[in-house]
Amino acid sequence: MSLTRRDFIKRSAAMTAASYVGINLPFTHQNAAQAADADTWVRGTCRLCGVGCRLEMGVRNGRPVALRGVPKARTNYGYLCMKGMLFYKIMQHPERLKVPLYRARKDQPFREISWDEALDIAAKEFADAVRKYGNDSTAYYGSGQCLTEETYLFQKVMRGGLKTNNVEGNPRLCMASAVGGYLTSFGADEPIGGYANVERSYCMFIIGSNMAEAHPVFFRRVMRQKLDNPDKVKIINADPRISPTSRIADMHMQFRPGTDLALMNAMAYVIIDEELYDQKFIDDYAVFRVGKDAKQVDLASFKADLEEYSPEKAAKICGGNITADDIRTAARWFATSQGTLSMWCMGINQRKQGVWANNLIHNLHILTGQLCKPGADSLSLTGQPNACGGVREGGGLCHILPGHRVVANEKQRNQVEDAWGIPHGRIPPKPGYHTMAMFEAVNEKKIRAIWINCTSPAQSLPNVTPYRKGMQSDDVFIVCSDIFPTKTTECANLILPTAFHFEKTGVYGCTERRSQITPKAVDAPGEAMPEVWMVREWALRLAKELNDPVIKQCVAPFMDKEPDYELPKAIWDEYTQKLTKGRDNDLRGATYEVLESMDDGVQWPAPTKEFALTGGTVMKFVRGSDPMAETEAKDDKPYQFYGPAHPDRKLWIWSRPYVGAGEEPDADYPLYLSTGRIIDHWHTTSMTGRIPELMRANPYSYVEINPKDAARMGVRPNDMVEIETRRGKVEMPAKVVEGPMEGMLFAYWHDMDEDRMINKVVNDAYDPGSKEPEFKICACRARRISGPKALKPYITRLNE
Amino acid sequence: MKKICAAILAVGAVVLLVACSSAVTGGKKDGAQSGPTSESAGPILAQHPPMSAQEKLRPCVECHKEVTPEIYTQWYNSRHGIDIVKCYQCHGTYEQMYKVPPVSQCAICHAGETMNNPSAQPCWDCHLEHTFKGH
């Protein structure tokens, strides 16, 4: 790089002047990686999405000052997205909840009270509800962002103590269909492989996911694999919307929302028609099934069911840009690649037919034998950082128990009761209310006391208006534990300030079955406390109120343990050593000691410490990779599908028909409405909305409108648009972009502002199997209201 | 007082000089903004034109698509662009914005590479800012 003399003089002068003022810092290797002069760096996991990036928090004088990636971590290899880079900024935010707050009635302002008072109130109200209305009038609604120790202890006290299975969490809203799909297709929850498959994959099928924005650091690996092997690697992106993920796609399949079932059936049709299936794999490992009673059928029957999904017929159903040729090409790439990896997220899960949509993806892999070998996997992307570890594995849904057990199985209930040292029969035999039923039960005054932890259903539920109204009633006592005021704390009687990530110790289990630990690095502000401490203290008071020593027994192993480290450690030990022992998510090797020593963490099953230290099971069910494939082996085949839900130890290929969305467009509401996240904001914005960089990048929710629709509606960029469905109206500024297909709007869902809160208008119909709502598709109409307005970003504050 | 005036003048001089050289080289075929080389390999604070609070509520690219179109295009077609590494991640936001970020910003994601940099130069001297070609 040669400089002209003129440039050289200019630059030298600039250099000199700058040095004079001292704003120029010398560059050396030594201070290169030392952002912000931290005293110490503490290794943990990112607080945000389900990728599970490993990072280090820089601490100076007891305050968090920076975040940086861990280069050797096998999840993110050192990379971070903007949220992972910046979330330390909210920890010392002035609006952090610092003291318990209480009001007897919800029209009163909150007043500060002591922890003793707060816990007494929480115990008395729940005890009163039990006495007056029965055990099932109490409930816990938690989160895929809680630490595993928190979810585990809460559900232990609810089930074993308060004798109710009204334990739910927001993963019901995002991952329940993926769980249902894995259980019915593979017989076991969670992916067979993990991220390592990306670098060995030659065909990636990304459907119902904008992973470039929702899982950016994992997307980096997909992008890299494609850019490094541009001709060898094929990427298929199937989405009614063109998104940033589509940039690396070789083929973008744009189909009418909901018709992906027909599309995938058509790909299966081609695979069978052109004999691209792996006969040996099917013979060795699979059966065909159909219907509610899972009747076993054969390939001929399965093929006959696909007749109505020939590529030509499916293309007609799908509309969009789908052609029969593209379907054939996609199917051929899928079937014949050296290793095919599918990845999907809410576009597939948040559907009335979410379980079926999951099954159809798994079908393609089972038919073609694209499983269990390097680069081949059916990888559901998990949205939240601990939906897998805490909720799915730790027993945080109304119908399951820790260690991948089910409430309905008496033997398994008894195993859990024995592990807890409580009498058989304490855990009720029937599942509790699933999420939508739970909040309906609040409306119907069947639930009188509910503890909501680390989530904001008053903004995140579909068709949220009636549910929020129910929560605002004085007939239900609501405890809300959180770090900031939210739309949900607005409905609470009691607000408990919680310690944030890195202010307490605990484990998150991410998308790829990997459990990773985050230790306490700094003190929580004010009197904020870890949830595990709250639950223990609450349980002790409940035991007194209800004169029930078994409630005390539930927390007996955790007495006198200090809350920052020893308490969560004791909980983790009980969960892993007693509840996961011998289960398919065996985590006995993943002790705190082991986890603390690792750059990343442990993929289960990992029954021993030695094995855990290597990183655990890379590929489930594969002998040589999965120790349980050895111990559970029934023959000498290389793959052993020992999942607890399939006694026949087979993978099930399901015949599923195409069924449309719960609410399709019609004459009154002629457009599709879909919603989703954008990269800068996390969910309800309670965290990211308090970080200036992120708020400025996306200060409000926008609605994306296809240019053809915009032209018809007379809408220009930033015009205000009213979106109306049968459930209500919202207004948002418009982005006119070749994003959503023609006839479809796509609105961002993060905004707390009443006028822009899109969940007010989306549909709460849900999958009959998984009970997961259909956020992704409903019918709307839209009109231009005005030109651009100077909008204000909105974050809720206390006592507003 | 004298020292403060001198400081302000010096800052002004830096800004002008850097701004001028940008204007001169803006039309180059390779589109490279002239920036510091190893001779002045330190961070430089930005003097962003003053914006109202409302104006700040916009993503950088909304204006910079037009104000610095070559940089926008370089970024958009780079791995940072495809993987949506946004301007503020390197350059900060208004309260502390860098025209030339410190290398410690790169190290947040690229700690390994930064520590093992074989040369004494900042990353972008070889990897060319905004395009950021790899090895």
Side-chain angles (χ1 to χ4, degrees):
Chain A
M1 254 176 31
S2 62
L3 296 168
T4 65
R5 188 163 182 278
R6 196 169 162 217
D7 287 339
F8 180 80
I9 290 171
K10 267 215 189 96
R11 285 181 196 183
S12 305
M15 163 74 181
T16 315
S19 310
Y20 181 85
V21 182
I23 60 171
N24 212 356
L25 300 173
F27 170 76
T28 62
H29 288 292
Q30 281 70 43
N31 65 19
Q34 252 131 280
D37 271 340
D39 303 326
T40 158
W41 292 89
V42 181
R43 184 172 59 204
T45 310
C46 183
R47 170 64 178 75
L48 288 308
C49 84
V51 170
C53 296
R54 292 285 283 176
L55 37 65
E56 289 177 331
M57 174 164 284
V59 179
R60 185 175 68 226
N61 297 331
R63 300 166 73 92
V65 291
L67 287 162
R68 68 182 184 193
V70 174
K72 293 209 182 109
R74 285 166 285 196
T75 49
N76 62 321
Y77 290 104
Y79 296 93
L80 299 176
C81 81
M82 62 281 273
K83 301 180 295 296
M85 257 177 85
L86 295 170
F87 75 79
Y88 74 90
K89 290 193 174 189
I90 63 168
M91 292 169 74
Q92 315 245 285
H93 195 282
E95 282 159 23
R96 279 290 298 274
L97 297 168
K98 296 191 183 81
V99 288
L101 299 162
Y102 175 66
R103 56 185 180 185
R105 281 193 346 263
K106 291 170 187 174
D107 58 1
Q108 296 169 322
F110 285 100
R111 58 182 177 86
E112 297 183 357
I113 58 173
S114 69
W115 270 110
D116 270 331
E117 278 183 84
L119 293 163
D120 282 342
I121 290 168
K124 182 167 190 307
E125 292 282 350
F126 272 71
D128 280 348
V130 169
R131 283 187 281 255
K132 279 192 209 141
Y133 306 105
N135 298 70
D136 284 330
S137 72
T138 63
Y140 168 74
Y141 182 71
S143 171
Q145 295 164 64
C146 296
L147 298 164
T148 300
E149 295 85 338
E150 292 160 4
T151 300
Y152 173 80
L153 191 60
F154 264 115
Q155 63 86 42
K156 185 181 185 188
V157 169
M158 295 303 290
R159 299 188 205 276
L162 285 174
K163 296 187 286 186
T164 178
N165 286 318
N166 288 347
V167 171
E168 269 289 295
N170 59 19
R172 180 70 67 181
L173 305 178
C174 56
M175 300 312 296
S177 291
V179 178
Y182 275 130
L183 288 174
T184 51
S185 290
F186 294 162
D189 189 16
E190 298 200 38
I192 291 176
Y195 302 160
N197 282 314
V198 168
E199 284 79 22
R200 314 284 286 277
S201 174
Y202 289 86
C203 175
M204 292 191 252
F205 181 56
I206 307 172
I207 180 166
S209 156
N210 175 17
M211 57 187 304
E213 291 196 79
H215 297 88
V217 176
F218 184 43
F219 177 73
R220 187 204 68 85
R221 294 172 70 164
V222 171
M223 170 194 77
R224 188 77 203 233
Q225 173 70 355
K226 172 62 183 173
L227 294 179
D228 286 352
N229 304 282
D231 300 317
K232 288 200 199 139
V233 170
K234 297 282 182 234
I235 312 259
I236 306 164
N237 178 221
D239 190 333
R241 171 180 179 240
I242 296 173
S243 77
T245 302
S246 317
R247 288 191 68 190
I248 55 156
D250 293 283
M251 182 192 295
H252 183 251
M253 305 182 96
Q254 206 169 10
F255 49 88
R256 243 179 353 105
T259 61
D260 42 10
L261 295 161
L263 175 67
M264 288 191 282
N265 270 340
M267 287 171 71
Y269 176 107
V270 172
I271 287 167
I272 303 220
D273 188 51
E274 296 184 10
E275 291 179 6
L276 299 171
Y277 52 90
D278 185 337
Q279 184 72 65
K280 182 162 195 321
F281 187 88
I282 296 173
D283 288 340
D284 283 348
Y285 300 116
V287 294
F288 295 89
R289 293 196 183 275
V290 63
K292 274 208 168 82
D293 46 4
K295 177 163 151 240
Q296 189 170 342
V297 293
D298 58 10
L299 174 61
S301 164
F302 180 73
K303 183 175 174 176
D305 286 342
L306 289 176
E307 276 307 308
E308 52 191 296
Y309 304 108
S310 70
E312 288 73 19
K313 290 181 189 150
K316 273 213 185 73
I317 298 171
C318 294
N321 73 355
I322 304 298
T323 65
D325 278 344
D326 280 348
I327 293 175
R328 289 201 165 85
T329 305
R332 288 169 194 155
W333 285 350
F334 192 109
T336 60
S337 98
Q338 213 172 299
T340 297
L341 173 63
S342 293
M343 289 167 285
W344 66 97
C345 204
M346 298 307 147
I348 290 284
N349 295 340
Q350 286 177 333
R351 299 275 298 284
K352 195 154 159 288
Q353 307 299 145
V355 175
W356 289 7
N358 272 267
N359 289 147
L360 294 187
I361 299 174
H362 300 314
N363 277 0
L364 298 175
H365 284 272
I366 304 171
L367 285 168
T368 55
Q370 291 285 7
L371 283 172
C372 300
K373 57 184 188 182
D377 196 14
S378 192
L379 181 64
S380 151
L381 299 172
T382 300
Q384 294 185 86
N386 203 29
C388 289
V391 175
R392 286 153 79 173
E393 298 159 31
L397 293 172
C398 68
H399 66 294
I400 61 175
L401 295 171
H404 284 164
R405 294 177 173 86
V406 291
V407 163
N409 182 315
E410 186 182 358
K411 190 158 158 240
Q412 292 177 357
R413 287 200 307 277
N414 292 341
Q415 283 172 359
V416 176
E417 285 153 347
D418 288 342
W420 292 348
I422 65 178
H424 287 187
R426 285 296 290 203
I427 302 175
K430 290 220 184 84
Y433 292 115
H434 61 84
T435 295
M436 297 316 298
M438 188 176 274
F439 289 97
E440 271 163 37
V442 167
N443 286 6
E444 291 165 5
K445 310 199 191 297
K446 293 187 178 141
I447 287 180
R448 296 288 181 151
I450 180 168
W451 189 316
I452 300 174
N453 183 33
C454 194
T455 180
S456 187
Q459 185 182 346
S460 62
L461 288 174
N463 183 24
V464 72
T465 306
Y467 301 110
R468 189 148 40 119
K469 190 150 179 289
M471 284 187 257
Q472 284 162 345
S473 160
D474 278 318
D475 289 329
V476 61
F477 173 79
I478 298 185
V479 185
C480 214
S481 39
D482 214 319
I483 55 168
F484 284 122
T486 63
K487 298 307 289 181
T488 304
T489 59
E490 286 179 5
C491 307
N493 297 93
L494 183 63
I495 301 177
L496 301 178
T498 66
F500 183 65
H501 210 54
F502 282 99
E503 292 170 358
K504 56 189 176 180
T505 301
V507 179
Y508 271 174
C510 72
T511 291
E512 62 160 5
R513 294 175 285 108
R514 196 184 295 273
S515 289
Q516 306 182 117
I517 193 168
T518 302
K520 176 175 170 175
V522 296
D523 288 333
E527 296 176 47
M529 290 297 289
E531 286 93 317
V532 291
W533 175 86
M534 292 179 213
V535 185
R536 181 186 72 191
E537 298 304 308
W538 176 59
L540 292 171
R541 287 163 165 83
L542 276 173
K544 278 213 186 87
E545 279 278 346
L546 290 169
N547 197 21
D548 185 346
V550 178
I551 303 179
K552 187 171 177 194
Q553 176 61 24
C554 290
V555 295
F558 314 123
M559 301 304 294
D560 302 318
K561 302 241 185 268
E562 63 78 24
D564 292 334
Y565 184 83
E566 294 301 329
L567 175 53
K569 180 159 178 286
I571 298 168
W572 179 256
D573 282 343
E574 175 177 296
Y575 164 61
T576 53
Q577 304 308 314
K578 289 192 174 164
L579 279 302
T580 73
K581 177 180 173 180
R583 306 296 300 169
D584 69 320
N585 73 322
D586 200 325
L587 274 163
R588 283 176 291 162
T591 63
Y592 265 29
E593 207 193 336
V594 164
L595 292 173
E596 285 156 3
S597 73
M598 297 175 74
D599 286 302
D600 42 38
V602 178
Q603 289 181 285
W604 54 258
T608 67
K609 286 189 202 171
E610 293 69 38
F611 185 63
L613 281 165
T614 68
T617 298
V618 174
M619 203 80 96
K620 275 203 298 179
F621 307 135
V622 175
R623 300 176 84 147
S625 179
D626 176 357
M628 286 187 70
E630 289 305 328
T631 55
E632 298 286 320
K634 290 281 193 279
D635 53 37
D636 53 10
K637 294 204 184 69
Y639 310 144
Q640 300 289 326
F641 297 105
Y642 57 79
H646 284 183
D648 65 355
R649 301 168 59 98
K650 295 274 191 193
L651 305 173
W652 295 2
I653 301 169
W654 282 95
S655 187
R656 302 288 197 204
Y658 158 64
V659 171
E663 184 183 85
E664 296 270 352
D666 57 23
D668 293 323
Y669 299 96
L671 301 169
Y672 283 104
L673 171 65
S674 193
T675 72
R677 279 192 53 227
I678 40 81
I679 193 173
D680 312 90
H681 282 306
W682 175 256
H683 288 200
T684 61
T685 329
S686 56
M687 294 185 283
T688 54
R690 293 179 158 97
I691 300 174
E693 290 90 331
L694 304 180
M695 202 44 154
R696 286 166 176 162
N698 260 296
Y700 348 92
S701 275
Y702 285 82
V703 56
E704 291 182 0
I705 306 184
N706 185 284
K708 293 202 179 80
D709 290 320
R712 229 187 344 261
M713 291 162 58
V715 167
R716 286 223 180 88
N718 294 307
D719 280 355
M720 294 304 293
V721 169
E722 178 187 86
I723 306 167
E724 186 181 1
T725 72
R726 291 174 169 86
R727 293 159 287 280
K729 327 182 168 161
V730 292
E731 312 177 354
M732 288 184 186
K735 278 191 184 163
V736 178
V737 63
E738 274 293 353
M741 61 193 292
E742 199 183 341
M744 172 187 172
L745 305 185
F746 185 86
Y748 306 155
W749 80 272
H750 60 265
D751 210 323
M752 274 194 214
D753 187 290
E754 283 300 326
D755 291 337
R756 302 189 289 264
M757 193 187 291
I758 196 68
N759 277 340
K760 285 160 72 168
V761 308
V762 307
N763 194 5
D764 52 354
Y766 51 79
D767 183 299
S770 69
K771 321 295 186 199
E772 181 168 350
E774 189 159 57
F775 284 93
K776 283 292 177 180
I777 310 177
C778 71
C780 75
R781 57 185 175 223
R783 64 184 183 97
R784 180 185 183 275
I785 309 178
S786 74
K789 271 201 203 148
L791 299 170
K792 293 263 161 281
Y794 175 74
I795 296 288
T796 189
R797 305 203 142 81
L798 210 53
N799 285 331
E800 256 179 343
Chain B
M1 187 57 189
K2 255 196 185 164
K3 253 204 171 160
I4 294 169
C5 286
I8 292 169
L9 276 171
V11 169
V14 169
V15 166
L16 273 172
L17 284 165
V18 175
C20 284
S21 64
S22 316
V24 162
T25 60
K28 267 202 195 148
K29 186 169 187 255
D30 65 357
Q33 272 282 67
S34 82
T37 62
S38 52
E39 298 146 306
S40 59
I44 296 179
L45 285 168
Q47 282 277 300
H48 198 281
M51 314 258 281
S52 68
Q54 189 71 33
E55 282 168 333
K56 286 178 187 172
L57 292 171
R58 279 192 297 196
C60 314
V61 292
E62 211 176 284
C63 295
H64 278 270
K65 247 187 192 168
E66 280 147 32
V67 169
T68 55
E70 278 128 359
I71 293 183
Y72 172 76
T73 308
Q74 282 167 6
W75 167 81
Y76 186 74
N77 293 327
S78 75
R79 283 171 191 186
H80 281 181
I82 299 171
D83 206 30
I84 319 183
V85 176
K86 291 195 179 177
C87 318
Y88 60 78
Q89 289 178 255
C90 303
H91 293 281
T93 189
Y94 299 98
E95 285 76 16
Q96 183 171 30
M97 193 180 281
Y98 287 101
K99 182 175 164 66
V100 177
V103 171
S104 54
Q105 280 303 103
C106 314
I108 292 173
C109 294
H110 299 276
E113 292 91 328
T114 320
M115 293 303 280
N116 295 323
N117 184 347
S119 82
Q121 293 162 279
C123 322
W124 48 86
D125 268 10
C126 301
H127 291 284
L128 299 179
E129 64 269 20
H130 303 121
T131 324
F132 289 121
K133 291 262 177 250
H135 288 280

